[in-house]
Amino acid sequence: QVQLVESGGGLVQPGGSLRLSCAASGSISSIHAMGWHRQAPGKQRELVARINSGGSTNYADAMKGRFTISRDNAKNTVHLQMNSLKPEDTAVYYCNADLTGRRFWGQGTQVTVSS
């Protein structure tokens, strides 16, 4: 089992920045990748960014150049730095942890981009 707790969401103006964090606990050694997804009202959940145990990252096209995923192994935490935020980035952001054959989700954190 893996438990994930997200933090850092909130309200920000267009063009602003936010940093999300996801703290993992439990079967940490079994995690081979972590990532962020988001879900806007009326839309399907979509990948935002992913980082694997080797440190390789990948991003959805809409986030490339604006979002950066990173990890702090000592604190079992993954961060998502979001810059140049747009109203269309408004969504609930979910952290996920991938183990062999299983995916765990956090409870989600709301990000609202509005003036």
Side-chain angles (χ1 to χ4, degrees):
Q1 294 287 330
V2 173
Q3 295 77 43
L4 302 170
V5 178
E6 300 111 330
S7 60
L11 173 65
V12 63
Q13 293 187 340
S17 299
L18 278 177
R19 187 185 193 220
L20 306 183
S21 297
C22 174
S25 60
S27 301
I28 303 299
S29 61
S30 298
I31 297 173
H32 59 79
M34 293 185 69
W36 291 90
H37 287 66
R38 70 184 186 185
Q39 187 166 19
K43 295 188 177 181
Q44 290 188 331
R45 192 171 296 190
E46 62 177 355
L47 173 70
V48 174
R50 183 178 184 269
I51 185 166
N52 67 18
S53 56
S56 296
T57 59
N58 62 283
Y59 298 88
D61 287 343
M63 291 69 164
K64 288 179 180 177
R66 299 190 300 125
F67 292 9
T68 303
I69 189 169
S70 62
R71 65 183 190 183
D72 182 340
N73 290 334
K75 297 182 179 179
N76 298 319
T77 300
V78 171
H79 303 288
L80 183 69
Q81 178 66 42
M82 305 186 294
N83 299 327
S84 303
L85 283 162
K86 306 174 182 179
E88 52 264 42
D89 294 317
T90 295
V92 178
Y93 284 69
Y94 297 91
C95 176
N96 69 274
D98 292 339
L99 287 66
T100 301
R102 292 196 69 179
R103 169 171 282 179
F104 293 87
W105 294 96
Q107 80 285 356
T109 185
Q110 177 70 46
V111 171
T112 302
V113 185
S114 175
S115 56

